[in-house]
Amino acid sequence: MFSQLKFYLSHSFNDLRVNKRLTFFALLSIAAGVAAIVSLQTLSLMIGDTLEQNLQETNRGDVSANISDPSEEEEELYAQFVESGMLATEEVSFFGQTGTVYSMAPEGINTLQAWVDESDFAGEVEFTYLAPVSSEFDVLIGSGSGTTITVQETGDQAPQLSSYFVDPAVYPYYGEITTVDGQLLADVLQAPTDIVIGDNVAEVIDVAVGDQVLINGASEAFTVRGIVAIEEAVQNPLADIFAGLFGFYIAPREAASLFESVEPRLDNFYFKLNDPSRAQEFEDALSEEFGFFSTTSTEDLRETNEALVEQISQLSTVMGLISLLIGSIGIINTMQVIVRRRMLEVAVLKTIGMQGNQITVLFLTEAFLLGIFGSLVGILLGWAGTFAIKGAAEAIFTTTLSFRIAPAPAINGFVVGVIVATVFGFLPTLAAAQVRPGIVIRPQEGVAPRAGRLQTLAVIALIIVVISLIAQTILGGTFLTALQIVGGAFLAAGILYVILWVIIWVVGRVFPSFGMVDLKVSLRQMLAAKGRGASTLLALVVGVFSLSTITLFADAINNVLTEVLEGSGGNVLISVQSESQLAEVEALLAGMDGVNSYTVALGYQMELVEWEDSEGNIYTAESLPEYVESLDINFPPAFGIPEEDLDEWEEEKSEIQQEIIGSSFINVAVEALEITEEGDATMLIGRDLRPEDENAEVPLIVYAEDPIIIELGLSEGDRVTYNVVSQGAFGLSSSEEVTFEVAGIAASSVSLSFNSGTYIPASAIPESASPASISVFADVTDEQLPMLRRELAEIPGTFAIETAIFTRLITSLLGTFTAFPSLVAALGLIVGGVVIANSVALATMERRNEIAVMKAVGLQRERVLGMILLENGILGFIGGLIGVGIGLVAVIIFAQSAGVPLDAVPWLRAFGLMMLCVGVAIFAAITSAWSASGEKPLTVLRYE
Amino acid sequence: MTQEIVVHAKDLKKEFMSGEVQVQALRGISLEIRRGEFVGIIGPSGSGKSTLMGLIGGLDTPSSGTIAIDGVDISAMNERPLTSIRNEKIGFVFQSFNLIPTLTALENVALPIQFSKNKQFNPTQRAKELLTLFGLGDRMDHRPTQLSGGQQQRVAIARALSNNPPLLLGDEPTGNLDTKSSDVVMNALREVQATMNTTVVLVTHDMDIASQVDRLITLVDGEIATDDPRSTAQRQAVAALREKRATGELRAIEG
């Protein structure tokens, strides 16, 4: 027994040693997958370390608290706090929508202090707070005091800055904020006009320490005393997202008094306890006493971080496992070639008395050794890889990560790598046992052995069970769930394999060679190795599909947003409070350079009087609900709700229908627009408005798409009469009746209007009617935007949002959230490339004779290499077409459902990804085929 | 010498498909080979020599008829017991030597013993004995690529004898060797037959080799055409001719 084991091990080891090239690429297939697991798991540990490192420092205290928006049930409670003087409120308006922002009143600080002094924590707690002059909303719209820094000397501006007005003597309670020069915050913020700015701001406006800057709304200039790295000041990039995206500055709390027209918003409180172990107790007491606080203790943070790290770890491990499974295709291919090349040896072994199962164990030992060595190499590569992606991860999480070599990822990677390599190497080794001993006498009659069907199915089942066990260990849950997921994945992979096999067969047979010999030979070679080609393609498709789906969706969302925003008719949206202010804004825009055009949209509320349909039936606001009921609209499908949920929705159907018809037809918000050019909205019914419609005898109306309106049977030419409501003084309203003719129904939300989507020509509104909201869409050159902002700041109650802000915000958010998955998907593509390199190495090894003959009859090395590259380039193209194609189909479906033209689909990016796939395939092929194409023909023909 | 029957074939037939054509490789072969015989099987290409070798060696199964090796009927055996029979009762020597390239000479010879169920020998000790017997005592740790053709074939013979089988089959054992090496190998096989009483059956198309056997079976078109024992006088005459050729007195006819 021992001697047999020794034979298996020494024989396998020797064979791997002798067949260096075969072994190298097989090892690389496993190593790539294991490296992905090790590097991603190590990274998640490093993230966990960083998050765990100093929770107090992250939380800026033992307990942190901020004032959250009230729920419906809490409104009364908040009102009580406002009445008691604890809370202050501020009404904000945004394109006709109003809301209330809560912050602590100055007196509330005293109340809070008094409570602390009288509580069980008296003398045990101190607290500090931030007092910014701008809110997150101000930062978002780039308006409001304290959001823009201008360099006095150069005029360079940095808008949309978050501000931290702190007590530098104590803030932060834990940790330190130091400038890039190493100075403490307390040392550099000595005067109210001292500030430090974020490094991301300093880069944008090229400002240095000592420069004088202006902050909008402040009565004095400030002096930059230091530059702070973003990770020093921003502890939670997800909570302080604007600071990370657009930049920030830190000033002493006293600086708030320099902003004359605003009151600082007292929010974000930090509590330090003499006994941090009582943090949870304090948090509970604080929340109970002051129900408006949303609190976070270090323990809360720990739990949140642990959950986050766990999710990152699971995602990393799953993605690493997928990469390893992709790499296992390389193992299968390698073992198949090993078995084929050693058929005669197997026959000899069987001749001298080795049983079939012993042959299987022999080759399985080889797969096992490949797994061990490959995993060991993978661990080293993984640790090295962690360095490579550490920088990218630090940029994503805006924090410094400390590298460490942890045993757990290495052990996980090693164990999983060995198991996967052995299990996946099992099937080819079963085939080895089927070699007929008789070929020892007639080697030329030897055919590639295959395992029996039952054996094959049994091994596949074993593989699925093993992978399911691994998945269950990683992800938790039941074995059955893991089995379903893994089984489903294998089934999908199997179907894809068959599809790829068929595609290769079709391309090999049908694709014309255009008279080119090289192409003909390449296609024939591809056809001759369909199985291996399909498995190689499978690896490539999985890798490129992951990467392309993430990338294309991010691009498509960007494009959709741009499409919607550009469809609004400008790059700046200006909200105006009154018609008198509108006149000022119009005068400003008319007289300013760089304003290419502008459109005024007046929002009105209208109430239905009656609707006369094409058959002469008349419905009123009172009779319409009953009519809707009688239609028995097939409600769920109209809203995309599956039939199986019908019962649940049936109960609420009536109520929801009435709500919808009420808000989209009976009481509708419309925008009155100056129609200066023909609308280009996608119309479901009828047509869009044209300039000549301004003078129509009966004004026209275009409705926004709505399933209920469509089910009503509203059609072009119908007449609808509305009361146009005006809000007057002292809360009184008036209305005037206007009859419209239905021009059409516009698809989805892409229309001339940015707001409601239902619109009418401006001339249709009676002169006496007052708009509920006023918006101006202006198209302004980028150079003039800062000027426009400054001028608008002089007109009270107006503010402007550049549509580019949303694009930038969404782009940054998308970039942040897709960076990590993209990184992981890119790893999958790299592993796919390794599998290709492995396949090409195996193919050239098997085709040495053929290559030698080609060279013997006169083909140059470059031409031989070119044929191999052409073959793999075609495979790469097919892989790219399918992998990117699937992602593209998903994006097209998304675009169409959003009612967006196909222009939004990132065709160029998709093409680029396809070419990347071809590039990966060719590059991988070169690494293997270069030396093979250079071998001397005589060497091969003599000794093969 | 004992006279028990080592190979007993009765009405052996073998058919197989070559493409779409059915080929009758053997058309009813019956023969008996006894212990200690030195037999040659000769015939033109396609006569069925290799097929008969495969059936005798348990590498293939007949379409009809029976074949027994050392009293054991292997005609309808499954692969598993057949493998054991090959391990214990049959030794093979091939034209291309077919040594395992990654194993040393010692390891190659010890291999069949390691997979034997009977374990009648210590693998390393037995391998050393056999290699020493064949003059390869100083080559035990060499790999096949480090040995000459003749040396490799002697290692192959040693491997074939490692479990002391009653039957040794050679398929063109000197086919890849020069004259001198061929003589060495044939002498080795003779030595085996003489000292171990092993039955040696060689398939060859080399008349020189065929002239050295005790019994020559000629196959033509899947049937035994002749089955003639060689007399001592005939063998001695052939041996004398060979010696003259070796010393240069008599040149072999070329072409």
Side-chain angles (χ1 to χ4, degrees), chain B residues 207 210-216 228-235 238:
Chain B
M207 290 310 296
S211 64
Q212 297 179 52
V213 302
D214 296 336
R215 175 181 167 191
L216 190 63
D228 298 328
R230 290 291 172 114
S231 68
T232 306
Q234 281 175 309
R235 291 202 304 277
V238 168

Side-chain angles (χ1 to χ4, degrees), chain A residues 3-4 7-8 11 14-15 18 344-345 348-355 357-358 437-438 440-442, chain B residues 50-51 53-54 59 79-80 83-84 86-87 92 94 98 100 102-103 111-112 114-115 119 143 159 171:
Chain A
S3 62
Q4 282 189 19
F7 166 72
Y8 293 143
H11 187 72
N14 277 332
D15 189 65
V18 165
L344 187 58
E345 180 187 325
V348 170
L349 288 172
K350 283 190 143 187
T351 302
I352 63 174
M354 208 166 177
Q355 296 287 359
N357 59 319
Q358 290 169 321
V440 73
I441 297 178
R442 291 198 184 87
Chain B
S50 295
T51 305
M53 170 69 79
L59 296 173
E79 181 58 28
R80 195 164 187 85
T83 303
S84 296
R86 289 197 299 267
N87 177 253
F92 287 89
F94 305 100
N98 282 338
I100 308 297
T102 52
L103 301 178
L111 203 55
Q114 286 170 330
F115 292 100
K119 301 277 189 262
R143 291 213 155 79
R159 183 181 67 184
D171 181 21

Side-chain angles (χ1 to χ4, degrees), chain A residues 638-653:
Chain A
F639 284 84
I641 297 161
E643 288 289 333
E644 54 267 23
D645 295 334
L646 186 63
D647 288 341
E648 183 186 330
W649 284 94
E650 201 59 42
E651 296 167 6
E652 303 177 32
K653 173 179 167 180

Side-chain angles (χ1 to χ4, degrees), chain A residues 624-626 628-630 632-633 635-636 639 646-662 708:
Chain A
L624 197 57
E626 196 181 324
V628 168
E629 286 285 345
S630 72
D632 195 22
I633 295 170
F635 177 65
F639 284 84
L646 186 63
D647 288 341
E648 183 186 330
W649 284 94
E650 201 59 42
E651 296 167 6
E652 303 177 32
K653 173 179 167 180
S654 174
E655 189 182 324
I656 292 174
Q657 272 179 172
Q658 299 310 326
E659 251 180 64
I660 293 168
I661 197 71
I708 299 292

Side-chain angles (χ1 to χ4, degrees), chain A residues 416-434:
Chain A
V416 173
V418 170
I419 291 174
V420 166
T422 308
V423 164
F424 276 86
F426 197 14
L427 197 58
T429 62
L430 282 180
Q434 305 302 317

